[in-house]
Amino acid sequence: MKKTFKIFIVFTLVFSVISCSQNESSRPNKGEIVIAADESFRNVTEALAERYVAHYPETKLHLKFQKEDYALMDLLKRNVRVIVMSRELTAKEKKLYEEMVDLPLEPAKFAGDAVVFVVAKDSPKNSISVQEIKNELQSDEKNIIFDGVNASNFNFVAQKLNLPTQKIKYSLIKGNKGIVEQINKFPNSIGVISLNTISNPYSREAENLRKQIKILSVTENNIAYEPNRENVRNMKYPFTRILYFLTNEGHFGLGNGFIRFSCTQKGQIVVSKEGLQPYNIYKREVMMR
């Protein structure tokens, strides 16, 4: 991914899709829906939902955390109204979406996240190259630990490295938090988690998780990049990914209302407080007296 976010120091507003661009004041403020997201996106999804309900107390957003591929299937079957995704859909999935949902595919991008590689706190390892990661995923040693197949971290890394998922060799520990909590028991292993799991600078839980691990920088073309906000914003960190919403709602209902809220200023402030990079940046106005 060599593209950069369309983000400028002057805080120019960027809107990526129609579903993020309509009038914020016209949002639905009653009803209930189910929103599905991979556990990797739990923190930011929960934060956005809580903020939305705080603004609109007559709404109920039921959050369902499941593997990314299952969330997509639930969306197609209309078991949920909105999902969070990070990887690109395959050609087959795009066709299924357009046939089953009967809507044009319009991803509503709202945050920059990253897949992060972590090791035990006392590990001598400080960085890993993209090629090393690829080699490890084809090694019988199975030193790379994922939180599961069909999950967002696994899907994204496989897609990024262009590796057939059935040929990837890895170990498994359930949950991103589970990986962090268990990684010190496996000195030679490398855990794969989402940045969102540990990114909130104000969360005691995230701080505690950060204290248990060492975050590896990732080397590409002999340059090491840390998974920090600046490198995510500029998309220099090799495993930067963009989080986006998909919905099966063909009208301006609660699903689209929640998406719009997340993409507009109030929602983007929530994204920033979660330690992720907001996708849509707003002009800052200061009144001088």
Side-chain angles (χ1 to χ4, degrees):
M1 282 191 252
K2 298 300 182 184
K3 298 184 292 182
T4 59
F5 283 125
K6 296 179 180 178
I7 293 176
F8 306 94
I9 296 175
V10 293
F11 297 93
T12 303
L13 171 62
V14 178
F15 280 123
S16 60
V17 292
I18 295 174
S19 58
C20 282
S21 64
Q22 295 186 20
N23 189 336
E24 184 180 358
S25 64
S26 63
R27 186 178 306 105
N29 55 17
K30 292 183 181 180
E32 57 185 291
I33 59 170
V34 180
I35 298 169
D38 192 277
E39 191 221 344
S40 296
F41 318 133
R42 175 186 288 271
N43 293 347
V44 70
T45 306
E46 286 182 337
L48 286 167
E50 287 172 7
R51 190 64 175 164
Y52 188 86
V53 172
H55 275 80
Y56 305 101
E58 294 184 72
T59 62
K60 290 184 180 180
L61 305 181
H62 303 284
L63 303 183
K64 181 178 182 181
F65 294 102
Q66 58 186 150
K67 293 180 179 180
E68 188 175 54
D69 290 349
Y70 300 156
L72 178 60
M73 290 308 299
D74 267 350
L75 183 80
L76 298 180
K77 294 176 181 177
R78 299 187 180 273
N79 294 329
V80 301
R81 190 79 61 85
V82 176
I83 64 170
V84 181
M85 294 284 293
S86 65
R87 67 171 176 83
E88 293 184 14
L89 300 192
T90 65
K92 182 179 179 180
E93 288 169 338
K94 290 177 182 177
K95 185 178 179 181
L96 278 173
Y97 179 88
E98 292 174 353
E99 289 177 352
M100 297 177 70
V101 177
D102 196 25
L103 289 172
L105 184 66
E106 293 181 338
K109 300 174 183 179
F110 69 96
D113 184 31
V115 172
V116 179
F117 299 85
V118 300
V119 291
K121 196 71 176 177
D122 59 356
S123 171
K125 197 171 187 65
N126 294 305
S127 66
I128 188 169
S129 71
V130 173
Q131 187 58 51
E132 282 181 284
I133 294 169
K134 193 168 186 176
N135 292 344
E136 286 284 3
L137 291 174
Q138 298 173 88
S139 167
D140 291 331
E141 296 296 321
K142 297 184 179 180
N143 286 327
I144 301 279
I145 304 175
F146 286 100
D147 61 332
V149 71
N150 300 120
S152 64
N153 298 329
F154 181 89
N155 288 342
F156 186 83
V157 171
Q159 193 172 71
K160 165 72 178 180
L161 298 178
N162 196 29
L163 290 174
T165 56
Q166 66 273 17
K167 293 186 178 181
I168 293 178
K169 300 176 181 180
Y170 65 98
S171 296
L172 174 66
I173 293 177
K174 185 177 179 180
N176 282 229
K177 292 179 185 177
I179 290 175
V180 171
E181 291 165 354
Q182 297 292 322
I183 194 70
N184 286 287
K185 296 180 181 179
F186 307 98
N188 296 320
S189 294
I190 301 166
V192 185
I193 64 173
S194 68
L195 178 61
N196 187 223
T197 300
I198 56 173
S199 61
N200 189 326
Y202 311 106
S203 165
R204 288 185 180 180
E205 182 180 37
E207 181 183 9
N208 181 54
L209 291 173
R210 289 193 297 270
K211 288 179 179 178
Q212 297 180 55
I213 54 173
K214 181 189 290 187
I215 300 170
L216 300 180
S217 58
V218 175
T219 303
E220 187 171 46
N221 299 323
N222 296 318
I223 302 175
Y225 298 100
E226 295 181 4
N228 55 35
R229 282 275 290 269
E230 181 179 358
N231 286 334
V232 170
R233 179 173 63 248
N234 296 320
M235 297 193 81
K236 290 183 177 180
Y237 179 70
F239 291 89
T240 295
R241 58 184 176 185
I242 308 303
L243 305 189
Y244 64 90
F245 295 111
L246 288 179
T247 182
N248 52 26
E249 190 175 81
H251 61 287
F252 187 42
L254 186 52
N256 277 313
F258 171 71
I259 291 173
R260 193 132 330 120
F261 172 86
S262 300
C263 293
T264 50
Q265 188 171 22
K266 289 176 181 151
Q268 293 293 278
I269 289 171
V270 173
V271 170
S272 183
K273 286 183 177 180
E274 271 297 312
L276 298 183
Q277 175 59 48
Y279 191 84
N280 304 310
I281 300 299
Y282 289 78
K283 183 179 179 181
R284 180 177 294 172
E285 295 181 358
V286 179
M287 182 177 292
M288 303 295 291
R289 295 185 178 180

